[in-house]
Amino acid sequence: TPRGIEIFNGNPVDPVSGGSLEEDVVPTLSGGTFVETVLFNAPPQGNYFIFLTIKRGTGSPTVDLSATFIGTGEIMRSPGGFGIGNGVFPPWELNYPHGIEWIDSLPGTAPEPSLIPPESLRIEFWWVSADPGGTYSDCDLHVMTPDGEEISYQHPVDNVTGGVLEQDVIPTGPGRWFKETVLFASPPPIGDYNVFFTAKSSTGGSEDDSFIPWFVAYVAGPNLMFTYAGLGVTAVFSFPTGPITEKTTNSTLTGTLSWEHRQRDFWRFDNN
């Protein structure tokens, strides 16, 4: 929830927001359609992070995440092809009560330039655990502006564009996902923003610490959202109308990091 409370089968009721998981659905048969619902009678305004994990089972299910605003009847849905397999799905960020407009991130599918001028830009990097025990990986977001200024934990504030790294996130224990954010509170220069991550270490010392990288760019004003999940370590976002695409050149990584794309679409540390 916007107040940082997670609602799931292990904590089905949040007395602060009034949200409750109606039922922990545990399928007993293969195949079919299954639904879990969290209901809020009077939800607080803000951004909700919606994600799911698969405890057991085989195959790659088709996932449809949606939110119904009772009263207005509006229905917000996650983008098509949202699931990227391996039993892990990137979080879906939904704003209440404004919702969000999802834009396909594939090349050639950018929207027409909006008549609404951009107000701000937020670039996020998520690393989502691909292991049941969670990820310990210490990753860092880097954003290179069109002016050639790099924003990261080493240079968290860019006085030219006003871009700020909100926090250098260093995991102290296993988590299902972690996120770093670079925020431009006022419209930054128009152009290409190179976004990439570095991975310093697996802070928990896990022998199989796997994660899925996920880049997100939000443009406030026209309320556009662009996502790139999975395969590449570097992406390029064209501000303000997109798209966000994989960059073909590789950035330098620190630590011993192995890429196992042929077998599984995620990063894994090899601590040996």
Side-chain angles (χ1 to χ4, degrees), residues 109-251:
T109 59
E112 292 296 323
S114 174
L115 297 178
I116 304 175
E119 298 172 358
S120 63
L121 170 64
R122 189 164 88 248
I123 296 176
E124 299 177 348
F125 168 65
W126 298 70
W127 58 106
V128 185
S129 174
D131 294 318
T135 179
Y136 296 83
S137 299
D138 181 11
C139 296
D140 294 293
L141 169 64
H142 300 251
V143 175
M144 186 75 72
T145 72
D147 297 330
E149 296 292 329
E150 182 176 333
I151 304 171
S152 70
Y153 72 98
Q154 296 168 314
H155 183 234
V157 178
D158 175 22
N159 294 325
V160 176
T161 62
V164 176
L165 176 70
E166 292 189 335
Q167 182 183 0
D168 178 15
V169 175
I170 302 175
T172 58
R176 279 185 278 185
W177 51 265
F178 297 97
K179 178 188 71 166
E180 288 195 354
T181 302
V182 168
L183 175 66
F184 300 86
S186 58
I190 293 174
D192 288 345
Y193 288 74
N194 288 277
V195 293
F196 61 95
F197 72 92
T198 54
K200 292 197 286 283
S201 64
S202 175
T203 57
S206 170
E207 292 183 358
D208 188 10
D209 184 359
S210 310
F211 63 88
I212 298 169
W214 194 51
F215 296 107
V216 182
Y218 297 91
V219 181
N223 293 334
L224 302 180
M225 179 176 183
F226 303 84
T227 65
Y228 173 74
L231 303 183
V233 66
T234 305
V236 179
F237 172 62
S238 297
F239 178 78
T241 58
I244 186 169
T245 56
E246 179 181 356
K247 188 174 182 180
T248 55
T249 57
N250 294 324
S251 60

Side-chain angles (χ1 to χ4, degrees), residues 17-105:
S17 67
S20 61
L21 176 68
E22 294 190 336
E23 181 184 2
D24 179 17
V25 177
V26 182
T28 57
L29 300 174
S30 62
T33 301
F34 306 95
V35 179
E36 286 195 350
T37 302
V38 172
L39 177 65
F40 297 89
N41 289 319
Q45 295 188 9
N47 288 355
Y48 289 75
F49 297 93
I50 307 165
F51 61 100
L52 61 93
T53 56
I54 296 178
K55 289 182 286 191
R56 63 177 181 270
T58 58
S60 297
T62 299
V63 175
D64 178 21
L65 297 177
S66 65
T68 302
F69 293 175
I70 300 172
T72 65
E74 290 180 280
I75 299 178
M76 304 290 172
R77 295 188 180 277
S78 62
F82 188 67
I84 53 180
N86 303 312
V88 182
F89 299 82
W92 174 32
E93 188 169 9
L94 176 73
N95 181 275
Y96 178 79
H98 302 293
I100 197 70
E101 180 181 355
W102 285 85
I103 302 298
D104 197 332
S105 59

